[in-house]
Amino acid sequence: MTSLSSSLYTAASFLCFAIIPKHVKVGLTLIPKAIEAIPATEEFTLAKAIIPATWHFVNGYLVTLGLLNYRWARSGGPTSTAEQWMVGANALAGALVGVRYYKAGLNIGLLVLWLAPSLSIAAGLL
């Protein structure tokens, strides 16, 4: 693996870890306020219950992606088909979710949704 590939995986890893404090802060400040604004009716009970859990679950997802990219920076990239599928699944999910973030003007999220997966793909192609 080239040092450029290793650097790209490392950058992707850094982006995953760097966004976590911001993601936690939003989850502890804005998400509860948004949930309070949702009517307390039976129709929205499930959504109100799972939104915070889902938001915080993404922090675990970011740690996992950060660790995988860090591992790939040290090991030479994804070596198994499963790992290659992980890169692809992350890129696809990031592309789809990123469109909504882009439309909402949440551009900082695009660092993890679009840039980090792009760096991983580019590193794998080198």
Side-chain angles (χ1 to χ4, degrees):
M1 177 171 73
T2 68
S3 62
L4 179 57
S5 291
S6 179
S7 295
L8 292 173
Y9 283 123
T10 300
S13 176
F14 172 79
L15 290 172
C16 291
F17 289 123
I19 199 76
I20 292 172
K22 172 83 169 154
H23 201 264
V24 169
K25 181 181 178 187
V26 170
L28 295 175
T29 57
L30 294 178
I31 297 300
K33 291 176 186 176
I35 292 169
E36 287 177 21
I38 299 171
T41 63
E42 185 177 339
E43 179 183 11
F44 298 112
T45 301
L46 180 60
K48 288 179 74 141
I50 65 170
I51 289 170
T54 303
W55 185 270
H56 293 299
F57 178 80
V58 170
N59 294 318
Y61 176 73
L62 291 167
V63 169
T64 301
L65 287 173
L67 290 171
L68 281 169
N69 277 283
Y70 181 79
R71 175 177 180 248
W72 296 331
R74 302 300 171 262
S75 69
T79 55
S80 70
T81 302
E83 287 180 324
Q84 292 167 352
W85 275 96
M86 288 177 206
V87 173
N90 178 47
L92 180 60
L96 297 173
V97 173
V99 169
R100 299 196 97 172
Y101 270 62
Y102 178 77
K103 287 179 180 179
L106 297 169
N107 296 329
I108 194 155
L110 299 177
L111 294 173
V112 172
L113 296 168
W114 288 351
L115 182 57
S118 297
L119 294 173
S120 298
I121 290 169
L125 294 174
L126 291 176

